[in-house]
Amino acid sequence: MASDGFLEWMRREGRIVIVGASLAGLRAAETLREEGFTGSLTLIGDEPYEPYDRPPLSKQVLLGKATADRTALPRRMALDANWRLGVAATGLDMAAKRVRLADGDEVEYDRLLIATGVHARPWPHEAEADLDGVFVLRTRDDSAGLHRRLMAAPRRVLVIGAGFTGSEIASACRERGLPVTVAERAAAPLVGALGGVVGQAAAELQREHGVDLRCGIMVTGLEGDSAGRLRSAHLSDGTTIDADVAVVSLGATRNTAWLAESGLGAGPRGIACDAGCRAFDVRGIVTDDIFVAGDVARSPHALFGYQFLSLEHWGNAVAQAEIAAHNMISASSDRRPHLWVPAFWSSQFGVSIKSVGVPSLGEEVLIAQGSLAERRFTGVYGYQGRVIAAVTFDQTKWLEFYQRQIETAAPFPPAFPTVDRRPEGLRPVPADFPDPSLPTHGPSVTLSGYSPTDRRITFTPARA
Amino acid sequence: MTQGMLLRQITDHANRADPYPLYAELRKTPVSQQGDALFVVSTYWEIKSLLHDPRISSDARNLSPQAAGALPQQEEETTALPPAFLKLDPPEHDRLRRMTMHPFGPPHTPRRVHNMHGELARIVSDLIDGFGDRDQVDLVDNFSYPFPVTVICRLLGIPREDEARFHSWADTIAASLDPDPDQDPGERLRVTQQARTELGMYLSGLIDERRGAPGDDMLSALVTDHGPDGQMTPIEVLSTAALLLIAGHETTVNLITNGMLTLLRNPDVLKRLRDEPRLAVPLVEELLRFEPPVQLLPQRTTLADIDIAGTTIPKGASVWLVLASGNRDPQRFLDPDRFDPDRKDNQHLGFGSGIHNCFGAPLARLEAQLALTELARRLDNPRLLEDPPPYRQNAVLRGPRHLNIAFDGFRA
């Protein structure tokens, strides 16, 4: 059959291009070779570095226990590939099957994998963001720069945003003995990811470790001296904080701007794809030669009502890259779905935090084991009478069990006793996530055109 | 053959040398009822899942009267020592284990085991030197036993002159872990209790000494540490020390002896180890899969009805997890009956899993790696004099009682 012939040719001498030379890109490339792809393989990365690991950047590197230039990802194999590092992809011509590069070059592909990940959301006021002492933390260079500054014993570090990265940075600062203020818009740290009940435990953890934690507050302005060095920050409650380092930890934005005119279904929330990692075009039609993996992908998950999930998870990047790579060189009947159960970990203030499932879907949370007060517990999230997620603080070893509960849609609240259920865990309480009906700065989509051939979809920033 | 008969065959000493065909038989029913309130789990994924199941308790007080009656012995309730954390559930388990981990491993003492490397190597070397001019030895009596006993005594800070007494107490107590239905429970209970009492008295004397004059050993740390969990009570120190002592060497003896036996049965691997000592790391992992020193965990009980693999284990039942059978489950490991030190993805159950995952695993690994590498390097043309060797009674902590080997001489 003709299509079989194509696949055979594709595996033998096709051209595969991977845009994004980080964790997902590397693992996909390795998987392609492991599965017998012998054609040409090109990896394009906008940073000049070989693929490196990010989790140490907000932990060990800031503590001086590792250096940013020595976090290269271990290779599973010697990889026969063309590396185009230090040059960003700037455009995609889907019809001609070509990726445009910043240096004016173009690379042709038969199959394309997009694994461009995310970048840190910058401080919105450009002049303030440019002040000396204002950082974001996403890349190797970010981490090395911040570490150097922390070594210079700043008077105070301001962390803006108490999500996982912000909390880890605050933790590293405290471990170094630096005074640190954390400013968080929500009522507690980690609220967006884990809800208010668990967030409260995280807040107490921070305060116990000497963090000046300010919640329910926004940073309204950063102020520098005449030499352009950060001196202080103004908060929405009218107070001012003297700080010479500020780390902006306001989450991440998907690296999709380069696809703006391409016709691919790529927007600020990522690139939509099917469970087999095939990208949708902007019309919602699945492509067969463009695949996506890692933080930049949004794919429907059967376990969570087929919602399109976009996960900034290390393990997801690996699993999705492997599936994408397999599917790129497999016949449709041999393709596999990406059914990874979301899992996430963080390490802060001496506590290991891990979660499985999608806590933010949870309506209620039950402390199934351990105790919030001891900061060692397993919290189980319920959604419409079933277990939807779990989080552990220093109780990692139970997580596997709750993952099975999620996978089997076990009833919530759990009806059984456990080896360690304290009185506080006997009843579920509202998980206390921010009200999803409140407007956020999420993007939207508009339709234009009238005749079927003219109908167009455009991603549009939300109206202010 | 009925399932009940199978279990009897597994505990029958006649089948000790090679229980693996029986395990294969057992795996035909992943979760099988073996008596009124006794359930045996023999397949990898089911064991793994139960080891992480918070509805499974390690505390014998949760057994139903029916299940408790079916068990051969419950010696600990009648002795002065409270159960060590091995037989407790959270939160007590977690607190005691944490406090014990404090002077032993990461994050507080990450280099304790690593720093023992030189001392361990010296002990191994001295023991081999001690073979003298003999051209055959019993590896168990002359090497596998004295090595970990010496190590655990050094770790705890027990004077060398007392090691012989420990050997005998530990032997007796470990034997009591064997759920052998044929033995007279009354007599065994009495002997075990006596050993526990003597060990307890000895240790409490030592603990008093260490409190007054602490050293760099773990016992001193346990009596003087003031961590976030507070301090152990004297009785907790006692039962923890006893646990470390028993668990710390009854298992390693078998790991090393089984290891040498397996190497002598696989001369190509033995030769490879001699030429490339780094093979020791994956080789010990494969040993832990292939011939695990702890064959089964007979002390779990259910806090609720649990549906697993088409069976409902009722609340209060006694659950035996046959780790050694899970390790040979063809659903999990390719060609599981083959000893393959190059095996990939070797997530064996040799150290258990979950919160009771072997506390001493880092030390046991290092001991076995050093011991086997050095035996392979120094013994010239070693060979088995008896195959299979005579086995100890214990079906849980399974291993040869003697391993008589011959060799042509030593390398320096």
Side-chain angles (χ1 to χ4, degrees), chain A residues 369 376 397 401 416 418-419 422, chain B residues 52-54 56 90-91 98 354:
Chain A
Q369 295 176 245
R376 279 192 196 90
K397 284 172 178 161
F401 172 78
F416 48 81
T418 70
V419 287
R422 321 287 177 85
Chain B
H52 289 261
D53 195 319
I56 297 279
R98 246 183 345 252

